[in-house]
């Protein structure tokens, strides 16, 4: 049984409903939000509440590791990291965050990447590196891998696939 990693900040992406996310937009088609060019008629910028789970996760991990100021000499906040990533090629065409850019942003204090993980890999990473960003099913649609959380430990000694996580969707600790 892994205990919970103490001191991992808990942030809520819902607190950023009025803050733009990257430079990506959507239009409404048949009542659904569909990615679109920002110069398209009726285009609206996505906000961090809707698209920013990995961004918010990254700030939790950076702050846990003691990164309080980014490469831009500004405090590490969700808004400041989003602006830096937008200006430094930290997002792909559809708003996906390139975690490798965090090494530069953190002045080489934190290096994150996306890799396939199983329970053993996740356990080993938690023990040696601290909190880990992992993909999970979307809380709104159930789509696999369309949301992310920060794994902070395990709280179920019987079920080795149950992890304790900080979920930016609501800013809650859950399993």
């Amino acid at each position: 049984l892994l205990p919970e990693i103490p001191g991992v900040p808990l942030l809520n992406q819902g607190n950023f409903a009025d803050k733009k996310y990257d430079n990506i937009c959507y239009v409404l088609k048949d009542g659904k939000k569909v990615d679109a060019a920002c110069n398209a008629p009726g285009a609206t910028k996505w906000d961090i509440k809707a698209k920013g789970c990995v961004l918010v996760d990254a700030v939790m991990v950076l702050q846990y590791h003691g990164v309080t100021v980014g490469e831009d000499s500004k405090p590490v906040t969700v808004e400041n990291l989003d602006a830096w990533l937008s200006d430094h090629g930290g997002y792909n065409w559809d708003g996906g965050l390139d975690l490798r850019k965090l090494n530069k942003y953190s002045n080489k204090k934190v290096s994150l990447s996306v890799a396939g993980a199983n329970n053993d890999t996740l356990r080993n990473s938690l023990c040696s590196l601290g909190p880990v960003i992992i993909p999970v099913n979307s809380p709104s649609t159930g789509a696999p891998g369309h949301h992310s959380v920060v794994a902070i430990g395990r709280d179920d000694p019987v079920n080795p696939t149950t992890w304790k996580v900080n979920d930016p969707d609501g800013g809650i600790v859950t399993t």
Side-chain angles (χ1 to χ4, degrees), residues 59-71:
V59 171
M60 287 190 258
V61 172
L62 288 167
Q63 290 178 350
Y64 168 81
H65 286 288
V67 180
T68 58
V69 176
E71 183 200 45

Side-chain angles (χ1 to χ4, degrees), residues 12-88:
N12 182 351
Q13 73 190 77
N15 293 338
F16 303 97
D18 60 341
K19 304 292 184 188
K20 74 156 189 80
Y21 177 79
D22 187 25
N23 292 306
I24 58 171
C25 296
Y26 67 90
V27 293
L28 290 175
K29 286 191 179 179
D30 300 323
K32 294 184 180 180
K33 294 178 179 179
V34 179
D35 289 337
C38 290
N39 62 357
T44 303
K45 288 201 177 274
W46 282 103
D47 60 37
I48 293 171
K49 178 182 178 184
K51 287 277 199 180
C53 55
V54 177
L55 173 68
V56 174
D57 291 340
V59 171
M60 287 190 258
V61 172
L62 288 167
Q63 290 178 350
Y64 168 81
H65 286 288
V67 180
T68 58
V69 176
E71 183 200 45
D72 56 2
S73 300
K74 295 179 181 175
V76 174
T77 66
V78 172
E79 299 99 321
N80 289 345
L81 178 57
D82 176 68
W84 186 90
L85 289 165
S86 291
D87 293 342
H88 292 86

Side-chain angles (χ1 to χ4, degrees), residues 118-146:
N118 58 37
N119 286 312
D120 289 335
T121 304
L122 182 53
R123 184 181 63 247
N124 292 339
S125 294
L126 281 167
C127 289
S128 62
L129 303 173
V132 177
I133 299 172
I134 58 173
V136 297
N137 293 350
S138 167
S140 57
T141 67
H146 285 217

